[in-house]
Amino acid sequence: MSAPRTHAAAVPAEPAVPVKPAAPETPTLADLSARLDRAVTRGLTAVTAGAIGRYQSAVLRIGISLTWLLFLLREYPNRGRLYGPDSPWGFDLAKQLVAGNHAFTVLLWSDSRAWFELGYAFAVLASASLLLGWRTRTSALMFMVGVLSLQNRSVFLGDGGDNVVHIMAIYLAFTRCGQVWSLDSRRARRAAEKAAAEAGAEGAPETAPEAGRPAEAAEAGEVPSEGAGKGLAADSGAAGGVLARTASAEGSAPATAAPAAARGRGRAGLDPVGIALWVVFGAVLVGAGAAGKLSTGWALIFWACWVGQAVWWAVRRWAPGEPRTVMDIMGNVIHNGAMLVIAVEVCLIYSTAGWYKIQGSRWQDGTALYYPLHLDDFTPWPALSHALGSSDVMVMLISYGTVIVQVAFPFTLFNRRVKNVLLGGMMLEHASIAVVLGLPFFSLAMITADAVFLPTSFLLWLERLVVGAVTRGRGRTAVVPAQRAGEPEPAAGPPQGAHDSASGSGNGSAPGDGSASEAEPAAGPHPPTALA
């Protein structure tokens, strides 16, 4: 018989000893220094590598020029009484005021009717040219001259929107606002496509997309033309960039051949229209200086810009290496700085307006909106105004809501989602002001200023929407320039706030959605374009 089986007594398992997490190492001074070094490097790269907020600056260009153009066209029958010889603010009074504040206006160079008509027509043409993005740097300077000349002639006209147009007209002269949605960018794209076709015909091997930016090259011009008085402050880029970048969302041409790229980057070609513009503006400066019409300060500004543009052209034509790269970096820094100043200016407009309202008793008791709704000057639709003014609850909610939104807006820039919601509310408020109070130009100017903070991804979605609608209306298939073969189709509908920037961060505080790099469009990569 076999022996009975015996079972070994179970040995109790020892209790697991909890492992204490390792204490985080205290960063050393060297680690902190390395992190700071990397952060500074990233910041400098973002500021110098390219123009930040290209789409936002294009919206600003289009909106401000459209606002001023529509105002000039609507007031064309009354132009003489507003800014001309028939104005209650006479020529002598205007000269006395300008002599004291040193404001710039060409309308006080002569009191003749013909000179005024010429100046008014110049302002209309400059606005239309900037709206279309034709010779953007020259147009931006002409637009600034036209705005300053008319507004400084009669300083007591306006509804608040004229102040926004006045300020933005100056800032636009320092931005690269024609890189997208302009005739300049279309001209550059066609030139790049032509160069690529010529290179393909020669049988040259294709390379990766070169560092040049066709849209910036078109805005810069091939000759000292498009600056005609603007110089480095608005030199919005050369074909020779700082960093190699892929084809951008506005339709930069695909990979180009190396020989064609070298030819385009080596020597700038002739441009008869540009040469003519540059010569004409130089002649105007000579004549104005000889007649003593320009003050010393304004003469130095215009001459420095005019000569600076000639230097830029010379560098593009004869020194396409390091000097051209340095000047391109300078243009990037100036543009990015101008966009930052614009963002700060918009925040100051809202914060000062909000805090001044807080000090008013009518805003404190929630009845401020009641009074303009019962003034004949601000009731284009009396029935609508009286119906709104008769509701105490609506008057109180809108009055308090206006103050809260204006005071809170600068602080909401630190959170993208909250900022986007508040931004939509502010634009809706200004659209309501245009209808209810009859202030369309003020509202359009403020909506344009607000658009500086719109996410780039939203603007790209809007571009695809408009292009698709136009091409469908013409019976053609919509082709977004940034789409390439093999790339995924863009998502339908506007993007969410969480995808506004390439970083995916939830915070943002500046134009282009407040991140150091803007959102990558669904149809292809593009360079960083958001203000840090």
Side-chain angles (χ1 to χ4, degrees), residues 76-94 107-108 110-120 150 153-154 157:
Y76 187 80
N78 307 314
R79 64 191 183 282
R81 291 191 59 82
L82 292 177
Y83 304 108
D86 303 330
S87 174
W89 186 248
F91 186 83
D92 294 334
L93 291 174
L107 295 184
L108 295 181
S110 173
D111 59 353
S112 68
R113 182 85 187 192
W115 179 253
F116 163 72
E117 296 291 349
L118 180 62
Y120 199 92
L150 290 175
R153 169 61 179 85
S154 298
L157 296 176

Side-chain angles (χ1 to χ4, degrees), residues 195-209:
E198 292 177 354
E202 295 175 0
E206 291 192 352
T207 61

Side-chain angles (χ1 to χ4, degrees), residues 141 225-231 278 281 285 301-302 304-307 309:
L141 181 68
S225 61
E226 306 178 23
K230 238 179 164 182
W278 191 77
F281 277 91
L285 289 177
I301 292 173
F302 286 123
C305 295
W306 187 80
V307 174
Q309 179 58 23

Side-chain angles (χ1 to χ4, degrees), residues 450-519:
D450 295 340
V452 174
F453 296 96
L454 285 176
T456 302
S457 52
F458 173 79
L459 296 177
L460 292 173
W461 170 80
L462 190 63
E463 177 189 29
R464 290 192 293 268
L465 189 67
V466 173
V467 171
V470 171
T471 52
R472 282 193 300 270
R474 295 179 179 179
R476 297 180 304 184
T477 303
V479 178
V480 179
Q483 289 183 246
R484 300 290 181 262
E487 291 184 351
E489 292 293 328
Q496 300 297 324
H499 303 288
D500 289 337
S501 67
S503 63
S505 169
N507 297 327
S509 59
D513 209 50
S515 60
S517 60
E518 289 186 311

Side-chain angles (χ1 to χ4, degrees), residues 418-467:
V418 177
K419 180 262 294 181
N420 290 341
V421 172
L422 202 61
L423 196 59
M426 291 165 58
M427 290 184 171
L428 182 62
E429 176 190 10
H430 285 117
S432 303
I433 290 175
V435 176
V436 177
L437 299 182
L439 298 172
F441 301 113
F442 164 78
S443 299
L444 185 55
M446 290 306 304
I447 290 174
T448 302
D450 295 340
V452 174
F453 296 96
L454 285 176
T456 302
S457 52
F458 173 79
L459 296 177
L460 292 173
W461 170 80
L462 190 63
E463 177 189 29
R464 290 192 293 268
L465 189 67
V466 173
V467 171

